[in-house]
Structure formats: C-alpha cells, structure tokens
Amino acid sequence: MGDGDNNDANNGETCIQNIRCKSGCCRRDSSNCESYCTNKGSENDWCHTQTFLGLYNECPCLPDLTCVFPKNMKVFKITYGLCKKIVVKKKLTKRGFF
C-alpha cells in the first residue's frame, strides 16, 4: 500500500478502518457489508462520533462543524446527529492597564 503511509486510500475506495483513508473516514455502507472511504460530514449531513471495529456508520463532521445530537437521546440505541456550524459569541473583555 502506497509509500508506507497507513492513510493512502482515496474517497470511493474500499477500506477496512478509518486510518486507511486520506479523509480519516471509512464509512460502512448500509445496503451491503462493504465499507468505503468518504468525506467527513458537511453542514446538515448526518454524523456520528463513535466507531465500531474501526469504522463509522456516519462520518464525523469537518473540523469547522460540530455533530449536534438530539436532546431526547436514548440510551443503548445508536443516535445520529447533524453537522452544524456553532457560532460562539465572544464576550467583550475589559482591558486593564497594569
């Protein structure tokens, strides 16, 4: 595989673990048993943050997005979130002189 790097599979190529993909996401196809490298989640895409045997059911979000889960999350059931851009309001700080 490649030049010694673990992560050398492109999107669309079959994979067995997240670390094998350039994108960092090896997603299990829900219609069959195969897994493919794919992009991380864009805004409003389904997302999940946990892996099962080194694979995602849904990829985590891109770095500038957050996987937001529903508030009525049930225990012992896989719950998926949506990738959202979280805007953090910065507090104005008073600058003091020493």
Side-chain angles (χ1 to χ4, degrees), residues 42 44-49 58-59 61 66-70 73 78-84:
S42 297
N44 295 318
D45 282 348
W46 289 108
C47 56
H48 200 249
T49 55
E58 292 292 342
C59 292
C61 303
T66 301
C67 192
V68 178
F69 294 94
M73 197 160 70
I78 295 176
T79 304
Y80 299 101
L82 286 174
C83 292
K84 298 285 183 187

Side-chain angles (χ1 to χ4, degrees), residues 7-78:
N7 55 345
D8 58 2
N10 291 310
N11 287 346
E13 293 184 46
T14 58
C15 53
I16 55 170
Q17 287 185 318
N18 296 315
I19 61 169
R20 302 284 183 197
C21 300
K22 287 181 180 176
S23 67
C25 183
C26 183
R27 185 175 173 268
R28 186 178 307 129
D29 191 325
S30 59
S31 63
N32 60 35
C33 295
E34 293 188 18
S35 300
Y36 301 93
C37 293
T38 187
N39 287 328
K40 291 192 176 178
S42 297
E43 196 163 9
N44 295 318
D45 282 348
W46 289 108
C47 56
H48 200 249
T49 55
Q50 295 179 333
T51 63
F52 180 71
L53 298 175
L55 301 170
Y56 286 107
N57 287 328
E58 292 292 342
C59 292
C61 303
L62 290 167
D64 61 333
L65 301 172
T66 301
C67 192
V68 178
F69 294 94
K71 296 204 185 303
N72 60 350
M73 197 160 70
K74 298 198 172 149
V75 180
F76 301 118
K77 181 181 177 190
I78 295 176

